[in-house]
Amino acid sequence: MKTDTLFRPFSLKGLNLPNRIVMAPMTRSMAPEGIPGQPQVAYYKRRAAADVGLILTEGTVIDRPASRNTPGIPFFHGDKAMAGWKNVADAVHAAGGKIAPQIWHTGSTRGGKWEPEAEVESPSGLVGPGEPRGHAMTQEDIADTIAAFASSAKLAKDAGFDAVEVHGAHGYLIDQFFWSGTNLRDDAWNGPTIKERSRFAAEIITAIRAAVGPDFPLILRVSQWKQQDYTARLAATPDEMTDWLMPLVEAGADMLHCSQRRFWEPEFPELDGAEGLNFAGWAKKLTGAATISVGSVGLNSDFGGAFAGEASQTTPLDRLVTRMEKDEFDLIAVGRAILSDAHWVEKVRDDRMEELQGFDAEDLKTLA
């Protein structure tokens, strides 16, 4: 199997990548008091030195009360945290890599038994359909949150990062606005279709674009599934997907990072069959934006088992190569495989497939 298609260069607004492989953002929760330190520097530098095309950091939170749901999640605001993140970016660049932070607000989701000091916030005071938690955001809360996302994005640019990614997926705050199950508002932040529920994300993107200027690459991560409900779907048809995603691209998102649990699964099999376009493929077709696909790349099971301590074994990359040869999507994000094997990209590039390692759930406990 030839993997040359994975090692074509890619460029977007001055973001020049040597290959099409992205390190997916993975929550690590290992930043004491929210400050990244030398362990994070070494962790990201190792992947950059091993030829990962673009590193997306773990989720890092904006400056809002209760913006994180576990205490080890790093901040992306404040002098100490930003000094730490600048060290990370500088180390990645010194190793020849590119890096973008993922900026985030966890909304009303839970990350375990830990509770933040402030009450959690969400569109309608729900963590899932019919499940109250925290308070419904006021207009002031919404405005301040939009401004906080823009501020963190500007800090990313000022710290020398190569792009920024906004986390709008997986049932966290932005996604809670998208989802009719958690957005029950009766104001302009909701409406009868997904297009109206996209307004919050579109306003965040607009504010970020104003803060960073027209030439700084802006990535938005989106998903159909939620941690609250793996079967949830925001868009049941291509027309609904257009209504959801096009306003976000028009607002200034350059790239859509389309999260699905298994990248090879077609988004609308009823329309184009079992080998049809996946989520990222449809998003690219409908909006014209560049897209990143993701989901169990190189492994025989999805991420769900990782939280139960389950390992995953390696699998061939033929389905990935086939889809990338067709330019179905532009980049592919690899998470657990690169987490357990920092040299995964090098091994694929050099046709050392027999040396690839599977995923060991114990690796979630370290920054190796």
Side-chain angles (χ1 to χ4, degrees):
M1 180 189 61
K2 297 291 187 181
T3 59
D4 296 359
T5 190
L6 305 180
F7 294 90
R8 295 172 293 157
F10 175 81
S11 296
L12 176 70
K13 285 189 174 179
L15 176 64
N16 299 312
L17 306 180
N19 60 57
R20 303 300 180 103
I21 301 172
V22 176
M23 179 178 171
M26 292 171 281
T27 301
R28 307 315 317 276
S29 296
M30 297 180 190
E33 299 183 358
I35 311 301
Q38 189 56 37
Q40 285 79 14
V41 170
Y43 169 73
Y44 291 113
K45 183 178 181 179
R46 270 190 291 275
R47 275 77 187 171
D51 285 347
V52 172
L54 173 65
I55 291 171
L56 296 176
T57 74
E58 63 204 276
T60 70
V61 294
I62 62 169
D63 189 7
R64 284 291 295 162
S67 61
R68 59 181 185 169
N69 60 9
T70 64
I73 291 173
F75 299 134
F76 210 83
H77 59 86
D79 292 344
K80 290 183 179 179
M82 293 314 303
W85 280 119
K86 188 175 189 310
N87 289 339
V88 170
D90 289 348
V92 166
H93 292 151
K98 305 287 186 179
I99 185 168
Q102 185 189 75
I103 56 175
W104 188 29
H105 187 315
T106 60
S108 57
T109 61
R110 295 180 177 89
K113 295 182 179 180
W114 180 80
E115 292 286 344
E117 292 183 6
E119 186 180 33
V120 297
E121 60 186 3
S122 66
S124 302
L126 300 172
V127 67
E131 187 178 355
R133 185 165 192 251
H135 74 272
M137 296 171 74
T138 66
Q139 297 296 333
E140 183 179 8
D141 291 335
I142 290 173
D144 288 348
T145 300
I146 292 169
F149 270 104
S151 175
S152 285
K154 181 62 162 57
L155 289 172
K157 182 180 180 181
D158 292 346
F161 283 83
D162 301 287
V164 65
E165 175 169 288
V166 174
H167 197 340
H170 303 167
Y172 296 113
L173 181 67
I174 293 174
D175 202 14
Q176 290 178 336
F177 274 86
F178 289 145
W179 192 18
S180 62
T182 47
N183 185 349
L184 307 182
R185 301 179 70 92
D186 59 3
D187 58 13
W189 304 102
N190 191 13
T193 73
I194 184 64
K195 188 171 185 178
E196 289 86 3
R197 295 192 300 277
S198 290
R199 181 188 169 194
F200 179 64
E203 293 284 349
I204 288 170
I205 294 165
T206 297
I208 289 174
R209 183 55 69 204
V212 301
D215 299 324
F216 191 63
L218 170 53
I219 307 164
L220 175 66
R221 196 174 211 203
V222 290
S223 69
Q224 295 261 38
W225 67 271
K226 321 294 168 207
Q227 60 189 285
Q228 300 92 326
D229 180 0
Y230 283 169
T231 67
R233 289 176 67 79
L234 298 177
T237 67
D239 285 346
E240 289 182 351
M241 187 174 286
T242 301
D243 285 345
W244 169 28
L245 299 179
M246 186 60 80
L248 310 177
V249 173
E250 291 174 343
D254 299 302
M255 183 178 293
L256 299 172
H257 185 175
C258 300
S259 178
Q260 61 184 111
R261 295 170 68 196
R262 306 169 190 91
F263 78 88
W264 59 88
E265 292 184 342
E267 189 61 29
F268 300 114
E270 67 278 8
L271 296 180
D272 54 5
E275 301 301 320
L277 297 175
N278 72 1
F279 180 19
W282 271 102
K284 181 177 179 178
K285 177 179 179 179
L286 295 172
T287 68
T291 59
I292 306 172
S293 188
V294 67
S296 305
V297 175
L299 297 174
N300 67 350
S301 62
D302 68 36
F303 65 88
F307 301 110
E310 297 175 9
S312 293
Q313 305 306 312
T314 61
T315 59
L317 299 177
D318 51 331
R319 288 184 291 192
L320 173 61
V321 168
T322 297
R323 288 180 181 266
M324 291 212 73
E325 284 179 341
K326 296 177 182 178
D327 287 322
E328 181 174 334
F329 41 82
D330 298 281
L331 303 174
I332 185 68
V334 182
R336 289 168 296 143
I338 288 178
L339 178 67
S340 284
D341 186 355
H343 296 277
W344 190 90
V345 176
E346 289 180 328
K347 292 175 182 178
V348 172
R349 181 198 64 201
D350 297 339
D351 196 24
R352 294 152 52 199
M353 310 301 281
E354 72 283 356
E355 297 180 27
L356 292 178
Q357 302 173 27
F359 166 71
D360 185 343
E362 288 297 306
D363 293 333
L364 290 172
K365 299 176 182 178
T366 71
L367 282 173

